[in-house]
Structures are given as C-alpha cells and as structure tokens.
Amino acid sequence: MKKKLLWSRRSLLGCGALAAGAWALGAAPQALGSGMRTIEIVARRFTFLPSQVPLKAGERVQVVVQGMDFAHGMNIPDLGKRYDLVPGQFTRFELQPSAPGTIEFLCDNFCGDGHETMHGRFVVT
Ligand SMILES: [Cu+2]
C-alpha cells in the first residue's frame, strides 16, 4: 500500500524557482553548488534513466533532469507538479520527502509509440 507523503511548503516553492532558473540559464547540473546531493535523470524516448531513484526520508535533494530528444514532460501527480523537459536543457527542482514510500513520475507529453512505458519512481526509505 502506498503511503501518502508530506512535503514542506518551502520545498514545493523552491521547485518552481529552481526550474525557472534552469530554463533561463540552461546551466549544467553542477552550476548551483548548493551542497545538496544531486540526482541526475536523463529523459529520452521512451524512458527516464534511472527509472528508479532511491531517496532517504528527510534528505533534501536537487533533481536535475536532462531532456534529450523530444519535449517530454515530467509529471509527478503525488506532488501536483509537472515540468517541461526541453531537449538540450536541464530542469531542476528540489525534493525533501518526509516519510518512506514511493513517488511516481511519468512523461505526460505524447512522444510516440512507447510513450506509455516512459515512467519511473522515487523510492523513499
Ligand atoms: Cu513521452
């Protein structure tokens, strides 16, 4: 059974600000130098790599998603968040899960046959 996770408001607000910054700058993953652990994910037809991302409850991480071959979308329904993944750009957001569980994410921009297999999950322990 999937557990509901609680998210700090600050974490959610940070998501949008960081994603907007990445959009504007097209910066490399290391550019922010935040001191947080960085999770790098590549989005390409028809997969997120890695598709299973381990996280620790209570740890704030920066997620950097590199769009490769198409304007994929990354939808995280459990968080009510989504991001456009522009080819050749990095999209950033922060996560700080407060409790163990899983957080599913999926591509929500149809990218061809195989689109429905383009999904993954954060696994929080
Ligand atoms: Cu897709």
Side-chain angles (χ1 to χ4, degrees):
M1 170 156 279
K2 192 158 93 180
K3 293 185 178 177
K4 265 286 185 213
L5 300 179
L6 298 176
W7 299 84
S8 76
R9 182 174 185 176
R10 183 175 172 195
S11 175
L12 291 176
L13 289 173
C15 292
L18 285 169
W23 184 284
L25 298 173
Q30 296 80 9
L32 287 183
S34 62
M36 280 181 287
R37 188 160 68 95
T38 298
I39 308 294
E40 297 180 21
I41 299 175
V42 172
R44 65 158 52 108
R45 290 185 176 97
F46 297 100
T47 186
F48 289 97
L49 290 173
S51 62
Q52 189 143 311
V53 181
L55 296 178
K56 296 285 187 193
E59 181 189 15
R60 176 179 288 184
V61 297
Q62 173 181 248
V63 180
V64 180
V65 186
Q66 183 175 13
M68 296 298 286
D69 54 0
F70 187 80
H72 298 284
M74 186 173 189
N75 193 324
I76 314 174
D78 289 342
L79 305 183
K81 305 291 285 187
R82 78 163 305 279
Y83 303 93
D84 290 309
L85 305 176
V86 178
Q89 293 199 20
F90 298 92
T91 299
R92 302 164 191 279
F93 56 91
E94 291 182 19
L95 290 182
Q96 188 174 21
S98 61
T102 59
I103 304 165
E104 309 286 339
F105 56 85
L106 56 107
C107 176
D108 66 357
N109 196 18
F110 182 77
C111 50
D113 290 342
H115 163 74
E116 62 282 351
T117 67
M118 189 169 174
H119 55 82
R121 64 176 56 166
F122 298 103
V123 180
V124 184
T125 56

